[in-house]
Amino acid sequence: MAVKVLAISASPRKDGNSDVLCEQFLKGASEVGNEVEKISLRQMNITPCIACYGCSKSHKCVKEDDMHNILQKLIGADVIVLATPVYFYSMDAQMKTMIDRCLPRYQEIRDKDFYYIVTAAEPQHSAADETISGLRGYLRCLPGATKKGIIYGTGTWDKGDVYRHPSFEKAYEMGKTVGV
């Protein structure tokens, strides 16, 4: 059965390592008949949450930026891929800002399957532990969220390193398992 797959790429670099793995995952997911879409946060205007709680009753952020549309897409997706590089042992600012801005409607992002894609300069998977922990914390807030898989692009520092990394093929193969 075909599903809607939404990938959120937090890479600040076009064709950065996490961005490339995101594309590979979507390529695999598309080839088995799923509907796929990617949002590149680097192209979005999303400002940080200011904890004003103006959204607490209206479920709409007081800020007028691209986050409203992203929330709609998160709510409408069946499967969500969160792809981020690891910066100083954590997710990058683009991903964290997007997650924080889900506050107005986070409870509507329900019953979704999630995949994580993380890239890091250090070769050990443990280099991504804090990033994975942060992404798990996000899922703990979403009703019925299930982590289905993690793709580790560790040991990829320079742009393009991921093309020679086992995660390149793994992302494609994991994408092919979605919805089947």
Side-chain angles (χ1 to χ4, degrees):
M1 179 174 86
V3 297
K4 290 183 181 180
V5 181
L6 176 65
I8 305 292
S9 175
S11 177
R13 298 187 295 184
K14 181 175 177 12
D15 300 324
N17 291 318
S18 61
D19 197 42
V20 167
L21 293 181
C22 194
E23 288 291 336
Q24 280 295 100
F25 186 99
L26 291 178
K27 179 181 174 185
S30 176
E31 284 182 11
V32 295
N34 295 303
E35 180 183 328
V36 301
E37 180 178 2
K38 182 176 97 173
I39 294 174
S40 297
L41 295 180
R42 74 179 164 279
Q43 297 173 324
M44 302 288 112
N45 174 29
I46 306 171
T47 57
C49 178
I50 57 171
C52 71
Y53 300 107
C55 63
S56 61
K57 287 190 173 66
S58 68
H59 301 287
K60 184 175 184 324
C61 186
V62 299
K63 294 184 168 206
E64 296 290 334
D65 60 15
D66 292 327
M67 194 58 206
H68 175 75
N69 291 331
I70 294 171
L71 268 171
Q72 281 300 123
K73 290 177 185 287
L74 288 165
I75 292 165
D78 300 304
V79 174
I80 299 171
V81 179
L82 301 175
T84 182
V86 173
Y87 287 177
F88 293 98
Y89 298 95
S90 187
M91 68 184 80
D92 72 358
Q94 291 83 344
M95 181 64 74
K96 181 61 172 139
T97 299
M98 190 275 309
I99 287 172
D100 289 348
R101 287 289 307 284
C102 287
L103 181 61
R105 300 181 66 193
Y106 74 96
Q107 292 184 342
E108 295 176 67
I109 307 170
R110 61 175 47 249
D111 303 321
K112 312 293 182 193
D113 289 340
F114 281 83
Y115 292 84
Y116 306 149
I117 296 174
V118 292
T119 56
E122 282 196 34
Q124 300 83 14
H125 286 1
S126 61
D129 285 352
E130 289 81 359
T131 300
I132 298 301
S133 179
L135 295 173
R136 283 188 182 128
Y138 175 50
L139 265 60
R140 286 181 65 180
C141 298
L142 307 178
T146 304
K147 177 193 61 81
K148 298 294 276 188
I150 302 174
I151 299 160
Y152 290 94
T154 51
T156 58
W157 173 267
D158 292 322
K159 186 175 178 179
D161 281 350
V162 77
Y163 289 106
R164 298 175 302 280
H165 193 275
S167 61
F168 186 75
E169 184 64 25
K170 184 174 182 180
Y172 171 71
E173 292 299 327
M174 194 175 288
K176 290 185 353 183
T177 67
V178 174
V180 294

